[in-house]
Amino acid sequence: MRNATPLAISVLAGGCLLLAGCSNEEFDIAQQYGPDPVLPPPENSLWPDLKVAEVVGWQEGQTPTVPEGLVVTPYAQDLANPRTVHTLPNGDVLVVQSKAPPGKPLNRPKDFIRNFIMGMASGGGGEQPETNLITLLRDTNRDGEVDERSDLLTGLTSPFGVAWHEGTLYVAAADAILAYPYELGQAEIDAEPTILTPLPGGPINHHWTKDLALSPDGRFLYASVGSNSNAGERGLEAEKGRAAIWQVDRETGASRVFASGLRNPNGLTIHPETGELWTVVNERDEIGPNLVPDYMTSVQENGFYGWPWSYFGQHVDERVKPARPDLVETAISPDYALTSHVAALGLAFTNDSAMPDAYGNGAFVGNHGSWNRNAFNGYKVIYIPFEDGRPSGMAQDVVTGFLEGDQARGRPVGLAMDGTGALLIADDAGNTVWRVAAADGTVTPEPIPTDRVEAGPEDAGAVDGATAPAPASETGETGNAAAPGTDAPAEPTPSDIAPAVGPEDGAPAPEADE
């Protein structure tokens, strides 16, 4: 599974030292967990810090490491870049496997450098199995082992997020949310999809992973759309509809920006007690190995979280011109910092699961792992305790062993609780889904799906498919909600403009089989 030699990595590291004198100053990353992280002064250098782990994969019999009271086993192997896992109401598990869409333009020297580095960080040398598909895993007797496996959908366009409700499976591809007729228990889908709504796509599509979550009343989908740049350097025109979470009416496809200023949100999840939307976010790079902390946060309707003008609340990024002090003043500080450059991608709440009491009320976070700092960070799954729907303590390492020295056996991405209440981890570099369960064999009485739907009052501030204006993609308007406490529409930010109708050339989003 090797994709780069130690020599290649050493040459790059040597270049880093030659050009920039990479920082080796000691920094206690424990200071960057929680609601008030230590934020050192930004560093600007000709070449940013970098340290790339060579992906070597798992040898026969190797597994990650878990604490006493837990046991880890492979749930599914020989996959093709598993990114997300999703449990359906009947306990079946969907594994979304994908790679980035091809054809991204490389216009700047840093584009070529980053492309090379990310190739090393992802592994996958040699002949690769078919990816861009969704595989169904079925544990018929709920013993924690897969009894039936089939490919539900193939030939997709870089899928990532999925959701299911009332006979429809929703798939977030790189450029649209697709809707497939699907009844629980089916082993494959033959029907053609309809496009529920286009999403910002190529040709750049820098952060292409679009995640999905279903609102507690089943009425809306939330979709994440990452930025097209690190800190706005491609120009704000390239960020229309991006660095945001959308709210999409499940019946009509009417859409609006629900929250903005989120550089690369993933792991969209509804908290089972509060009904709030939560996400983990990858923050910006190139201002030092210890800036900026990635984070986990609840998502406020119409909230603005700073990107690109500020980070972790109102800390101004001086690189971004023109400055927008008016927007920085409104920037919301996230709930919980996860330390810098861990690349948090997965989030799963443990309420009502079969995990031991020590992990019974909190959140697991999957940290894919750093490459743009001088010491590795991430490459593990952590647990953050909650109380009354809010983080309440220090993060704990739970699933480790993905990194051994300078080599990565795997890299965690998406998380979910399976049909028995155990934790599933999509490991895209190890091509495996891992299952972490209580060592005493405890299981839930019945499956608890990833998307929990409960009847509730309508959200008066949400897009209304019956009475709201047509989607912004049809009218060209911003679709922004009124500013809180006023009747006047909120002034749109440049990164909060309504989405285009498809790829950047304005063409309709492609069908799933193109």
Side-chain angles (χ1 to χ4, degrees):
M1 189 179 291
R2 284 176 166 81
N3 194 58
T5 66
L7 175 61
I9 298 172
S10 298
V11 169
L12 278 175
C16 173
L17 290 169
L18 177 65
L19 292 173
C22 297
S23 172
N24 289 301
E25 182 179 350
E26 292 292 330
F27 183 85
D28 182 6
I29 62 172
Q31 302 174 98
Q32 287 194 328
Y33 282 111
D36 188 25
V38 172
L39 303 177
E43 300 177 12
N44 293 305
S45 59
L46 179 62
W47 187 278
D49 295 273
L50 89 92
K51 186 177 176 69
V52 184
E54 179 191 13
V55 174
V56 297
W58 301 92
Q59 300 300 314
E60 184 71 27
Q62 288 182 335
T63 68
T65 303
V66 294
E68 184 178 357
L70 298 175
V71 62
V72 58
T73 55
Y75 194 67
Q77 296 177 295
D78 300 319
L79 297 163
N81 305 107
R83 306 286 186 170
T84 56
V85 278
H86 185 96
T87 301
L88 297 170
N90 66 347
D92 288 350
V93 172
L94 303 181
V95 184
V96 181
Q97 300 149 82
S98 58
K99 278 195 170 183
K104 177 180 174 180
L106 302 177
N107 300 322
R108 304 163 300 170
K110 67 176 287 186
D111 295 335
F112 290 91
I113 295 168
R114 183 185 185 281
N115 199 46
F116 179 64
I117 292 171
M118 293 308 291
M120 290 196 296
S122 63
E127 185 176 353
Q128 296 297 298
E130 178 186 0
T131 188
N132 292 327
L133 72 160
I134 298 176
T135 298
L136 183 144
L137 306 175
R138 180 167 294 152
D139 175 6
T140 56
N141 57 0
R142 306 186 74 236
D143 65 351
E145 296 184 2
V146 174
D147 302 301
E148 300 175 15
R149 171 173 167 170
S150 61
D151 290 338
L152 194 68
L153 289 167
T154 61
L156 299 172
T157 303
S158 301
F160 194 82
V162 292
W164 181 90
H165 190 52
E166 294 182 337
T168 302
L169 180 68
Y170 300 94
V171 178
D175 49 17
I177 300 176
L178 307 175
Y180 293 85
Y182 176 74
E183 297 298 332
L184 298 177
Q186 289 180 233
E188 60 182 12
I189 295 176
D190 295 324
E192 291 297 316
T194 58
I195 296 177
L196 179 65
T197 190
L199 297 173
I204 301 174
N205 216 1
H206 176 61
H207 289 123
W208 56 271
T209 54
K210 273 79 171 181
D211 207 0
L212 286 182
L214 185 68
S215 67
D217 62 2
R219 184 181 177 191
F220 301 103
L221 291 170
Y222 297 101
S224 65
V225 182
S227 71
N228 245 344
S229 62
N230 178 48
E233 65 273 12
R234 296 183 189 274
L236 294 177
E237 185 68 19
E239 305 297 345
K240 287 186 177 181
R242 306 190 74 108
I245 294 174
W246 293 19
Q247 184 187 60
V248 182
D249 188 293
R250 196 174 56 82
E251 294 294 331
T252 67
S255 61
R256 68 173 180 127
V257 171
F258 183 79
S260 61
L262 300 149
R263 178 176 176 265
N264 185 24
N266 281 285
L268 299 189
T269 308
I270 301 294
H271 192 281
E273 289 182 348
T274 67
E276 291 179 305
L277 178 66
W278 284 72
T279 186
V280 289
V281 176
N282 290 188
E283 254 290 357
R284 68 202 73 196
D285 305 322
E286 301 178 13
I287 50 176
N290 300 304
L291 284 178
V292 173
D294 297 336
Y295 59 85
M296 171 183 70
T297 193
S298 57
V299 182
Q300 298 183 27
E301 183 176 358
N302 300 320
F304 174 66
Y305 290 81
W307 190 90
W309 293 278
S310 67
Y311 55 87
F312 223 88
Q314 300 174 12
H315 296 82
V316 174
D317 189 335
E318 301 290 352
R319 298 173 298 175
V320 183
K321 305 296 182 183
R324 289 294 302 269
D326 56 325
L327 293 178
V328 171
E329 186 178 357
T330 69
I332 298 169
S333 184
D335 286 293
Y336 197 94
L338 300 168
T339 74
S340 296
H341 309 303
V342 294
L345 293 174
L347 175 64
F349 291 110
T350 63
N351 306 69
D352 304 319
S353 73
M355 301 302 290
D357 289 344
Y359 311 104
N361 181 15
F364 286 117
V365 174
N367 290 332
H368 199 224
S370 65
W371 60 268
N372 50 356
R373 64 194 315 272
N374 53 0
F376 291 125
N377 197 15
Y379 297 92
K380 59 189 174 183
V381 177
I382 63 174
Y383 175 77
I384 300 158
F386 270 54
E387 185 175 345
D388 297 326
R390 286 290 178 270
S392 62
M394 186 65 175
Q396 309 161 29
D397 292 355
V398 178
V399 191
T400 58
F402 292 92
L403 186 70
E404 182 69 27
D406 287 349
Q407 294 182 326
R409 295 167 173 165
R411 304 183 76 192
V413 191
L415 308 178
M417 311 309 295
D418 76 358
T420 71
L423 174 68
L424 296 181
I425 304 165
D427 172 0
D428 68 340
N431 289 325
T432 300
V433 170
W434 301 101
R435 181 177 184 267
V436 179
D440 62 8
T442 300
V443 299
T444 56
E446 59 186 20
I448 298 175
T450 298
D451 290 321
R452 309 189 197 188
V453 177
E454 300 176 359
E458 292 188 352
D459 181 355
V463 176
D464 189 326
T467 61
S473 58
E474 297 178 9
T475 65
E477 298 175 356
T478 63
N480 284 349
T486 73
D487 294 327
E491 180 183 355
T493 72
S495 60
D496 191 22
I497 304 299
V501 296
E504 289 187 2
D505 62 3
E511 299 293 337
D513 59 353
E514 291 185 354

